[in-house]
Coordinates of all heavy atoms in Angstrom, one line a residue:
M120 N -23.1 -11.6 26.9 CA -22.9 -10.2 27.2 C -23.7 -9.3 26.1 O -23.5 -9.5 25.0 CB -21.4 -9.9 27.2 CG -21.1 -8.4 27.5 SD -19.2 -8.2 27.7 CE -19.3 -6.5 27.7
S121 N -24.5 -8.4 26.7 CA -25.2 -7.6 25.8 C -24.7 -6.3 25.6 O -23.9 -5.8 26.4 CB -26.7 -7.4 26.2 OG -26.7 -6.8 27.5
T122 N -24.9 -5.7 24.5 CA -24.4 -4.4 24.1 C -25.4 -3.3 24.4 O -26.6 -3.5 23.8 CB -23.9 -4.3 22.7 OG1 -22.8 -5.3 22.5 CG2 -23.3 -2.9 22.4
L123 N -25.1 -2.3 25.2 CA -26.1 -1.2 25.3 C -25.9 -0.2 24.3 O -24.7 0.2 24.0 CB -25.9 -0.6 26.7 CG -26.7 0.6 26.9 CD1 -28.1 0.3 27.1 CD2 -26.2 1.4 28.3
I124 N -27.0 0.2 23.6 CA -26.8 1.3 22.6 C -27.6 2.5 23.2 O -28.7 2.4 23.5 CB -27.5 0.9 21.3 CG1 -26.8 -0.3 20.7 CG2 -27.5 2.1 20.3 CD1 -27.3 -0.9 19.4
A125 N -26.9 3.6 23.3 CA -27.5 4.8 23.9 C -26.7 6.1 23.4 O -25.5 6.0 23.1 CB -27.4 4.8 25.4
C126 N -27.5 7.2 23.3 CA -26.8 8.4 22.8 C -25.8 8.8 23.8 O -26.0 8.8 25.0 CB -27.9 9.6 22.8 SG -27.1 11.2 22.5
P127 N -24.6 9.0 23.4 CA -23.5 9.4 24.3 C -23.6 10.8 25.1 O -23.0 11.1 26.1 CB -22.2 9.4 23.4 CG -22.7 9.5 22.0 CD -24.1 9.0 22.0
K128 N -24.5 11.6 24.5 CA -24.8 13.0 25.0 C -25.9 12.9 26.1 O -25.9 13.7 27.0 CB -25.0 14.0 23.9 CG -23.8 13.9 22.8 CD -23.6 15.3 22.3 CE -22.3 15.4 21.7 NZ -22.2 14.7 20.3
C129 N -27.1 12.3 25.7 CA -28.2 12.3 26.6 C -28.6 11.0 27.1 O -29.6 11.0 27.9 CB -29.4 13.1 25.9 SG -30.2 12.1 24.6
A130 N -28.0 10.0 26.7 CA -28.3 8.6 27.1 C -29.6 8.1 26.6 O -30.1 7.0 27.1 CB -28.3 8.4 28.7
W131 N -30.3 8.7 25.7 CA -31.4 8.1 25.0 C -31.2 6.8 24.4 O -30.1 6.7 23.6 CB -32.0 9.1 24.0 CG -33.1 8.6 23.1 CD1 -34.4 8.4 23.6 CD2 -33.1 8.2 21.8 NE1 -35.2 7.8 22.5 CE2 -34.4 7.6 21.5 CE3 -32.1 8.1 20.8 CZ2 -34.7 7.2 20.1 CZ3 -32.5 7.6 19.5 CH2 -33.8 7.1 19.3
Q132 N -32.0 5.7 24.6 CA -31.7 4.5 23.9 C -32.8 4.2 22.9 O -34.0 4.4 23.0 CB -32.0 3.4 25.1 CG -30.8 3.5 26.2 CD -31.1 2.5 27.2 OE1 -31.5 1.4 26.9 NE2 -30.7 2.7 28.4
P133 N -32.3 3.9 21.6 CA -33.0 3.8 20.5 C -34.1 2.5 20.8 O -33.6 1.7 21.5 CB -32.2 3.4 19.4 CG -30.8 4.0 19.9 CD -30.8 4.0 21.3
D134 N -35.3 2.7 20.3 CA -36.2 1.6 20.7 C -36.5 0.7 19.5 O -37.4 -0.2 19.5 CB -37.6 2.2 21.2 CG -38.1 3.1 20.1 OD1 -37.7 3.1 18.9 OD2 -39.0 3.9 20.4
G135 N -35.6 0.7 18.5 CA -35.8 -0.2 17.4 C -36.4 0.3 16.3 O -36.7 -0.4 15.2
G136 N -36.9 1.5 16.3 CA -37.7 2.1 15.3 C -36.8 2.5 14.1 O -35.6 2.8 14.3
A137 N -37.5 2.8 13.0 CA -36.7 3.2 11.8 C -36.9 4.8 11.7 O -37.6 5.4 11.1 CB -37.4 2.6 10.6
Y138 N -35.8 5.5 12.5 CA -35.9 6.9 12.7 C -34.8 7.6 11.8 O -34.8 8.8 11.7 CB -35.5 7.2 14.1 CG -36.6 6.7 15.1 CD1 -36.1 5.9 16.2 CD2 -37.9 7.0 14.9 CE1 -37.1 5.4 17.1 CE2 -38.8 6.6 15.9 CZ -38.4 5.8 16.9 OH -39.3 5.3 17.8
W139 N -34.0 6.9 11.0 CA -32.8 7.5 10.4 C -33.1 7.5 8.8 O -33.5 6.5 8.4 CB -31.6 6.8 10.7 CG -31.2 7.1 12.1 CD1 -30.4 8.1 12.6 CD2 -31.6 6.3 13.2 NE1 -30.4 8.0 14.0 CE2 -31.1 6.9 14.4 CE3 -32.4 5.1 13.5 CZ2 -31.3 6.5 15.7 CZ3 -32.7 4.6 14.7 CH2 -32.1 5.4 15.9
S140 N -32.9 8.7 8.3 CA -33.1 8.7 6.8 C -31.8 9.1 6.2 O -31.1 10.0 6.6 CB -34.2 9.7 6.5 OG -33.8 11.0 7.0
C141 N -31.5 8.3 5.1 CA -30.3 8.6 4.3 C -30.6 9.7 3.2 O -31.7 10.0 2.8 CB -30.0 7.3 3.5 SG -28.4 7.4 2.6
S142 N -29.5 10.2 2.7 CA -29.7 11.2 1.5 C -30.3 10.5 0.3 O -30.8 11.3 -0.5 CB -28.3 11.7 1.2 OG -27.3 10.7 1.1
C143 N -30.4 9.2 0.2 CA -31.0 8.6 -0.9 C -32.5 8.4 -0.6 O -33.3 7.9 -1.6 CB -30.3 7.2 -1.1 SG -30.9 5.9 0.1
G144 N -33.0 8.7 0.5 CA -34.4 8.7 0.8 C -34.8 7.4 1.6 O -36.0 7.3 2.1
C145 N -33.9 6.5 1.8 CA -34.2 5.3 2.6 C -34.3 5.6 4.1 O -33.7 6.5 4.6 CB -33.0 4.3 2.4 SG -33.2 2.8 3.4
V146 N -35.3 5.0 4.8 CA -35.5 5.3 6.2 C -35.4 3.9 6.8 O -36.0 3.0 6.4 CB -36.9 5.9 6.5 CG1 -37.2 6.0 8.0 CG2 -37.1 7.2 5.8
W147 N -34.5 3.8 7.9 CA -34.2 2.6 8.5 C -33.8 2.7 9.9 O -33.4 3.7 10.3 CB -33.3 1.7 7.6 CG -31.8 2.0 7.9 CD1 -31.0 1.2 8.4 CD2 -31.0 3.2 7.5 NE1 -29.7 1.7 8.4 CE2 -29.8 3.0 7.9 CE3 -31.3 4.4 6.9 CZ2 -28.7 4.0 7.8 CZ3 -30.4 5.3 6.7 CH2 -29.2 5.2 7.2
N148 N -33.6 1.6 10.6 CA -33.0 1.6 11.9 C -31.5 1.6 11.7 O -30.9 0.3 11.4 CB -33.5 0.5 12.9 CG -32.8 0.4 14.1 OD1 -32.1 1.3 14.5 ND2 -33.0 -0.7 14.8
T149 N -30.7 2.5 11.9 CA -29.3 2.6 11.6 C -28.5 1.5 12.5 O -27.5 1.1 12.2 CB -28.8 3.9 11.8 OG1 -27.4 4.0 11.2 CG2 -28.7 4.4 13.2
F150 N -29.1 1.2 13.7 CA -28.3 0.2 14.6 C -28.5 -1.2 14.1 O -27.8 -2.1 14.6 CB -28.8 0.4 16.0 CG -28.4 1.8 16.5 CD1 -29.3 2.8 16.6 CD2 -27.0 2.1 16.7 CE1 -28.9 4.1 17.0 CE2 -26.6 3.4 17.1 CZ -27.6 4.4 17.3
N151 N -29.4 -1.4 13.1 CA -29.5 -2.7 12.6 C -28.3 -3.1 11.6 O -28.0 -4.2 11.3 CB -30.8 -3.0 11.8 CG -31.9 -3.3 12.7 OD1 -31.7 -3.7 14.0 ND2 -33.1 -3.2 12.3
T152 N -27.7 -2.0 11.2 CA -26.7 -2.1 10.1 C -25.4 -1.5 10.4 O -24.6 -1.3 9.4 CB -27.3 -1.5 8.8 OG1 -27.5 -0.2 8.9 CG2 -28.6 -2.1 8.3
G153 N -25.2 -1.1 11.6 CA -23.9 -0.4 12.0 C -23.8 0.9 11.2 O -22.6 1.3 10.9
G154 N -24.9 1.5 10.9 CA -24.6 2.9 10.4 C -24.7 2.8 8.8 O -24.4 4.0 8.2
K155 N -24.9 1.8 8.3 CA -24.8 1.6 6.9 C -26.3 1.7 6.2 O -27.1 0.9 6.6 CB -24.1 0.5 6.4 CG -23.8 0.3 4.9 CD -22.9 -0.9 4.7 CE -22.6 -1.1 3.2 NZ -21.6 -2.1 2.9
C156 N -26.4 2.5 5.3 CA -27.7 2.5 4.6 C -27.9 1.2 3.8 O -27.1 0.9 3.0 CB -27.8 3.7 3.6 SG -29.3 3.7 2.6
P157 N -29.0 0.4 4.1 CA -29.3 -0.8 3.3 C -29.7 -0.6 2.0 O -29.7 -1.5 1.2 CB -30.4 -1.4 4.3 CG -31.2 -0.1 4.8 CD -30.2 0.9 5.0
S158 N -30.0 0.6 1.5 CA -30.5 0.8 0.2 C -29.3 1.3 -0.7 O -29.1 0.5 -1.7 CB -31.5 1.9 0.1 OG -31.8 2.3 -1.3
C159 N -28.5 2.3 -0.4 CA -27.5 2.7 -1.3 C -26.1 2.3 -0.7 O -25.1 2.5 -1.5 CB -27.5 4.2 -1.5 SG -27.0 5.2 -0.1
G160 N -26.0 1.8 0.4 CA -24.8 1.4 0.9 C -23.8 2.4 1.5 O -22.7 2.2 2.0
K161 N -24.4 3.6 1.7 CA -23.6 4.7 2.3 C -23.4 4.4 3.8 O -24.2 4.1 4.5 CB -24.4 6.0 2.2 CG -23.7 7.2 2.8 CD -24.2 8.5 2.6 CE -23.5 9.6 3.3 NZ -24.0 10.9 2.9
Q162 N -22.1 4.6 4.1 CA -21.6 4.4 5.6 C -21.7 5.7 6.2 O -20.9 6.6 6.0 CB -20.2 3.8 5.6 CG -19.8 3.6 7.0 CD -20.6 2.4 7.6 OE1 -20.7 1.3 7.1 NE2 -21.1 2.7 8.8
W163 N -22.7 5.8 7.3 CA -22.8 7.1 8.0 C -21.8 7.0 9.2 O -21.9 6.1 10.1 CB -24.2 7.2 8.5 CG -25.1 7.6 7.3 CD1 -25.6 6.7 6.4 CD2 -25.6 8.9 6.9 NE1 -26.3 7.4 5.4 CE2 -26.3 8.8 5.7 CE3 -25.4 10.2 7.5 CZ2 -26.9 9.9 5.1 CZ3 -26.0 11.3 6.8 CH2 -26.7 11.0 5.7
K164 N -20.9 8.0 9.3 CA -19.9 8.1 10.2 C -20.5 8.6 11.6 O -20.2 8.1 12.7 CB -18.8 9.0 9.8 CG -17.6 9.0 10.8 CD -16.4 9.8 10.2 CE -16.8 11.2 9.8 NZ -15.7 12.1 9.3
N165 N -21.5 9.5 11.4 CA -22.1 10.1 12.6 C -23.6 9.6 12.6 O -24.2 9.6 11.5 CB -22.0 11.6 12.6 CG -20.5 12.0 12.8 OD1 -19.8 11.5 13.6 ND2 -20.0 12.8 11.8
T166 N -24.2 9.7 13.8 CA -25.6 9.2 13.9 C -26.2 10.3 14.8 O -25.7 10.7 15.9 CB -25.7 7.9 14.6 OG1 -25.1 6.8 13.7 CG2 -27.1 7.4 14.9
Q167 N -27.4 10.7 14.3 CA -28.2 11.8 15.0 C -29.1 11.2 16.1 O -29.6 10.2 15.8 CB -29.0 12.6 14.1 CG -29.6 13.8 14.8 CD -30.4 14.6 13.8 OE1 -31.0 14.1 12.7 NE2 -30.6 15.9 14.1
C168 N -29.2 11.8 17.2 CA -30.2 11.5 18.2 C -31.5 12.0 17.8 O -31.5 13.1 17.1 CB -29.6 12.2 19.6 SG -30.4 11.5 21.0
I169 N -32.5 11.2 18.0 CA -33.7 11.5 17.4 C -34.7 12.2 18.3 O -35.3 11.7 19.3 CB -34.4 10.2 16.9 CG1 -33.5 9.5 16.1 CG2 -35.8 10.5 16.3 CD1 -33.2 10.1 14.7
P170 N -34.9 13.7 18.1 CA -35.6 14.4 19.2 C -37.1 14.0 19.2 O -37.6 14.0 20.3 CB -35.5 15.9 18.5 CG -35.1 15.7 17.2 CD -34.3 14.4 17.1
H171 N -37.7 13.6 18.1 CA -39.2 13.3 18.2 C -39.5 12.0 18.9 O -40.6 11.5 19.1 CB -39.9 13.4 16.8 CG -39.4 12.3 15.8 ND1 -38.6 12.7 14.8 CD2 -39.6 11.1 15.7 CE1 -38.4 11.6 14.1 NE2 -39.0 10.6 14.6
A172 N -38.4 11.1 19.1 CA -38.5 10.0 19.8 C -38.0 10.1 21.2 O -37.9 9.1 22.0 CB -37.7 8.8 19.1
G173 N -37.6 11.3 21.6 CA -37.2 11.5 23.1 C -35.6 11.8 23.2 O -35.2 12.0 24.4
G174 N -35.0 11.9 22.0 CA -33.6 12.2 22.1 C -33.2 13.7 22.1 O -34.1 14.6 22.2
C175 N -32.0 14.0 21.8 CA -31.5 15.4 22.0 C -31.2 16.1 20.7 O -30.8 17.3 20.8 CB -30.3 15.4 23.1 SG -28.8 14.6 22.3
R176 N -31.2 15.4 19.6 CA -30.9 16.0 18.3 C -29.6 16.2 18.0 O -29.1 16.6 16.9 CB -31.7 17.4 18.2 CG -31.7 18.1 16.8 CD -32.2 19.5 17.1 NE -33.6 19.6 17.4 CZ -34.7 19.6 16.7 NH1 -34.4 19.5 15.3 NH2 -35.8 19.6 17.2
E177 N -28.6 15.8 18.9 CA -27.2 16.0 18.8 C -26.7 14.8 17.8 O -27.1 13.7 17.8 CB -26.4 16.0 20.0 CG -26.7 17.2 20.9 CD -26.4 18.6 20.2 OE1 -25.2 18.6 19.7 OE2 -27.1 19.4 20.2
W178 N -25.6 15.2 17.0 CA -25.0 14.1 16.2 C -23.7 13.6 17.0 O -23.0 14.4 17.6 CB -24.4 14.7 14.8 CG -25.4 15.0 13.9 CD1 -26.2 16.2 13.9 CD2 -25.9 14.2 12.8 NE1 -27.1 16.1 12.8 CE2 -26.9 14.9 12.1 CE3 -25.5 13.0 12.3 CZ2 -27.6 14.4 10.9 CZ3 -26.1 12.5 11.2 CH2 -27.1 13.2 10.4
S179 N -23.5 12.3 16.9 CA -22.3 11.6 17.6 C -21.8 10.6 16.6 O -22.5 10.1 15.9 CB -22.7 11.1 18.9 OG -23.4 12.0 19.8
P180 N -20.5 10.4 16.9 CA -19.8 9.2 16.1 C -20.6 8.0 16.3 O -21.0 7.7 17.4 CB -18.5 9.2 16.6 CG -18.2 10.6 17.1 CD -19.5 11.0 17.6
H181 N -20.9 7.3 15.3 CA -21.8 6.0 15.4 C -21.2 5.1 16.5 O -21.9 4.6 17.2 CB -21.9 5.3 14.0 CG -22.8 4.2 14.0 ND1 -24.3 4.4 14.0 CD2 -22.8 2.9 14.2 CE1 -24.9 3.3 14.0 NE2 -24.0 2.3 14.1
L182 N -19.9 4.9 16.4 CA -19.3 4.0 17.5 C -19.5 4.4 18.9 O -19.4 3.7 19.8 CB -17.8 3.9 17.1 CG -17.4 3.1 15.9 CD1 -15.9 2.9 15.7 CD2 -18.0 1.7 15.9
S183 N -19.7 5.8 19.1 CA -19.8 6.3 20.5 C -21.2 5.8 21.1 O -21.4 6.0 22.3 CB -19.8 7.8 20.5 OG -18.5 8.2 20.0
W184 N -22.1 5.4 20.3 CA -23.4 4.9 20.7 C -23.3 3.5 21.4 O -24.2 3.2 22.2 CB -24.5 4.9 19.6 CG -24.9 6.2 19.1 CD1 -24.2 7.1 18.4 CD2 -26.2 6.7 19.4 NE1 -25.0 8.2 18.2 CE2 -26.2 8.0 18.7 CE3 -27.3 6.3 19.9 CZ2 -27.3 8.9 18.7 CZ3 -28.5 7.1 20.0 CH2 -28.5 8.4 19.3
Y185 N -22.2 2.8 21.2 CA -22.2 1.4 21.6 C -21.5 1.5 22.9 O -20.3 1.9 23.0 CB -21.5 0.5 20.6 CG -22.2 0.4 19.3 CD1 -22.0 1.3 18.3 CD2 -23.2 -0.7 19.2 CE1 -22.7 1.1 17.1 CE2 -23.8 -0.9 18.0 CZ -23.6 0.0 16.9 OH -24.3 -0.1 15.7
H186 N -22.0 0.8 23.9 CA -21.3 0.7 25.3 C -21.2 -0.8 25.6 O -22.0 -1.5 25.2 CB -22.2 1.4 26.3 CG -22.5 2.9 26.0 ND1 -21.7 3.8 26.4 CD2 -23.6 3.3 25.3 CE1 -22.2 5.0 25.8 NE2 -23.4 4.8 25.2
D187 N -20.3 -1.1 26.3 CA -19.9 -2.5 26.7 C -19.9 -3.4 25.4 O -20.5 -4.5 25.2 CB -21.0 -3.1 27.6 CG -21.2 -2.2 28.8 OD1 -20.1 -1.9 29.3 OD2 -22.3 -2.0 29.3
L188 N -19.1 -2.9 24.5 CA -18.9 -3.7 23.2 C -18.2 -5.1 23.5 O -17.3 -5.2 24.2 CB -18.0 -2.9 22.2 CG -18.6 -1.9 21.3 CD1 -17.5 -1.3 20.5 CD2 -19.6 -2.5 20.4
D189 N -18.8 -6.0 22.8 CA -18.2 -7.3 22.7 C -17.0 -7.1 21.9 O -17.0 -6.4 21.0 CB -19.1 -8.4 22.3 CG -20.2 -8.8 23.2 OD1 -20.0 -8.4 24.4 OD2 -21.0 -9.5 22.8
D190 N -15.9 -7.9 22.1 CA -14.7 -7.8 21.4 C -14.9 -8.1 19.8 O -14.4 -7.4 19.0 CB -13.6 -8.8 21.9 CG -13.1 -8.3 23.2 OD1 -13.2 -7.1 23.5 OD2 -12.3 -9.1 23.8
W191 N -15.8 -9.0 19.5 CA -15.9 -9.4 18.2 C -16.7 -8.3 17.5 O -16.3 -8.0 16.3 CB -16.6 -10.7 18.0 CG -18.1 -10.7 18.5 CD1 -18.6 -11.0 19.7 CD2 -19.3 -10.2 17.8 NE1 -20.0 -10.8 19.8 CE2 -20.4 -10.4 18.6 CE3 -19.4 -9.7 16.4 CZ2 -21.6 -10.0 18.2 CZ3 -20.7 -9.4 16.0 CH2 -21.8 -9.5 16.9
L192 N -17.6 -7.7 18.2 CA -18.3 -6.7 17.6 C -17.4 -5.4 17.2 O -17.5 -4.7 16.2 CB -19.6 -6.2 18.4 CG -20.4 -5.1 17.8 CD1 -20.9 -5.4 16.5 CD2 -21.5 -4.8 18.9
E193 N -16.5 -5.2 18.3 CA -15.7 -4.0 18.0 C -14.7 -4.2 16.9 O -14.5 -3.3 16.1 CB -14.8 -3.8 19.3 CG -14.0 -2.6 19.5 CD -13.6 -2.2 20.8 OE1 -13.3 -3.2 21.6 OE2 -13.6 -1.1 21.2
E194 N -14.3 -5.5 16.8 CA -13.5 -5.8 15.5 C -14.2 -5.6 14.2 O -13.8 -5.0 13.2 CB -13.0 -7.2 15.6 CG -11.7 -7.3 16.4 CD -11.2 -8.8 16.6 OE1 -11.6 -9.6 15.7 OE2 -10.6 -9.1 17.6
E195 N -15.5 -6.1 14.3 CA -16.4 -6.0 13.1 C -16.6 -4.5 12.7 O -16.5 -4.1 11.6 CB -17.8 -6.6 13.5 CG -18.7 -6.8 12.3 CD -18.6 -8.3 12.0 OE1 -17.6 -8.9 12.1 OE2 -19.6 -8.8 11.6
L196 N -16.8 -3.7 13.8 CA -17.1 -2.3 13.4 C -15.8 -1.5 12.9 O -15.8 -0.6 12.2 CB -17.7 -1.5 14.6 CG -19.1 -2.0 15.0 CD1 -19.5 -1.5 16.3 CD2 -20.1 -1.7 14.0
N197 N -14.7 -2.0 13.4 CA -13.4 -1.4 13.1 C -13.0 -1.7 11.7 O -12.3 -1.0 11.0 CB -12.2 -1.9 14.0 CG -12.2 -1.1 15.3 OD1 -12.9 -0.1 15.5 ND2 -11.7 -1.7 16.4
D198 N -13.6 -2.8 11.1 CA -13.4 -3.2 9.8 C -14.2 -2.3 8.7 O -13.9 -2.2 7.5 CB -13.9 -4.7 9.5 CG -12.9 -5.6 9.9 OD1 -11.7 -5.1 10.2 OD2 -13.1 -6.8 10.0
I199 N -15.1 -1.6 9.2 CA -15.9 -0.7 8.4 C -15.0 0.5 7.9 O -14.4 1.1 8.7 CB -17.1 -0.1 9.1 CG1 -18.1 -1.3 9.4 CG2 -17.9 0.8 8.2 CD1 -19.3 -0.9 10.2
H200 N -14.9 0.6 6.6 CA -14.2 1.8 6.1 C -15.1 2.9 5.9 O -16.0 2.9 5.1 CB -13.5 1.4 4.8 CG -12.6 0.1 4.9 ND1 -11.3 0.3 5.5 CD2 -12.6 -1.2 4.5 CE1 -10.8 -0.9 5.5 NE2 -11.5 -1.8 5.0
V201 N -14.7 4.0 6.7 CA -15.6 5.1 6.7 C -15.3 6.2 5.7 O -14.0 6.5 5.8 CB -15.6 5.7 8.0 CG1 -16.5 6.9 8.2 CG2 -16.1 4.7 9.2
P202 N -16.1 6.6 4.9 CA -15.7 7.6 3.9 C -15.5 8.9 4.6 O -16.1 9.1 5.7 CB -17.0 7.7 3.0 CG -18.0 7.1 3.8 CD -17.5 6.1 4.6
I203 N -14.7 9.8 4.0 CA -14.3 11.0 4.8 C -15.3 12.1 4.4 O -15.2 13.2 5.0 CB -12.9 11.5 4.4 CG1 -12.8 11.5 2.9 CG2 -11.9 10.6 4.9 CD1 -11.5 12.0 2.4
E204 N -16.4 11.9 3.6 CA -17.3 12.9 3.3 C -18.1 13.3 4.5 O -18.3 12.5 5.4 CB -18.2 12.6 2.1 CG -19.3 11.6 2.6 CD -19.6 10.6 1.3 OE1 -18.6 10.4 0.5 OE2 -20.6 10.0 1.4
E205 N -18.7 14.4 4.6 CA -19.5 14.9 5.7 C -20.9 14.5 5.5 O -21.3 14.3 4.4 CB -19.4 16.3 5.9 CG -18.0 16.9 6.4 CD -17.7 16.3 7.9 OE1 -18.6 16.1 8.6 OE2 -16.6 16.0 8.0
D206 N -21.6 14.3 6.7 CA -23.0 13.8 6.5 C -24.0 15.0 6.5 O -24.9 15.1 7.3 CB -23.3 13.0 7.8 CG -22.6 11.7 7.7 OD1 -22.2 11.1 6.6 OD2 -22.2 11.2 8.7
T207 N -23.7 15.9 5.6 CA -24.5 17.1 5.6 C -25.5 17.0 4.4 O -25.4 16.5 3.5 CB -23.7 18.4 5.5 OG1 -22.8 18.3 4.4 CG2 -23.0 18.7 6.9
Ligands
ZN487 ZN1 -28.9 5.6 1.1
ZN488 ZN1 -29.1 12.4 22.7

């Protein structure tokens, strides 16, 4: 069973590119790491849709991007402790 990853607002599907940048300057594909910066370890609660790649620019909760979640993956993601700070 595969998991579909798509923007919950416009249904844009990430193509595997490194479109997300952290406040530490790292640029990576956030869906490879479940929203966690591989450089500084910051857990991003919300994920932005990427307008220059065809998306809508809106922010959505990272988990909302996953559709048809496998049970094990859902458990895995629920284990992530999300900091309460805002992603601004
Ligand atoms: Zn970072
Ligand atoms: Zn979108």
Side-chain angles (χ1 to χ4, degrees):
M120 182 173 170
S121 61
T122 300
L123 174 69
I124 298 176
C126 172
K128 302 217 165 74
C129 74
W131 173 71
Q132 293 181 34
D134 57 15
Y138 297 124
W139 292 269
S140 55
C141 182
S142 46
C143 75
C145 177
V146 176
W147 84 110
N148 174 13
T149 193
F150 295 104
N151 279 344
T152 61
K155 186 175 184 175
C156 173
S158 177
C159 73
K161 175 173 177 172
Q162 182 68 54
W163 288 79
K164 183 172 59 175
N165 296 310
T166 296
Q167 187 181 25
C168 197
I169 305 299
H171 65 255
C175 67
R176 187 189 297 270
E177 295 297 316
W178 288 82
S179 304
H181 190 76
L182 290 179
S183 297
W184 285 72
Y185 296 89
H186 306 268
D187 301 324
L188 271 182
D189 288 344
D190 286 345
W191 68 266
L192 178 59
E193 196 162 32
E194 275 176 28
E195 195 102 322
L196 292 171
N197 283 338
D198 275 348
I199 296 173
H200 297 291
V201 179
I203 53 177
E204 73 217 23
E205 289 299 322
D206 297 325
T207 50

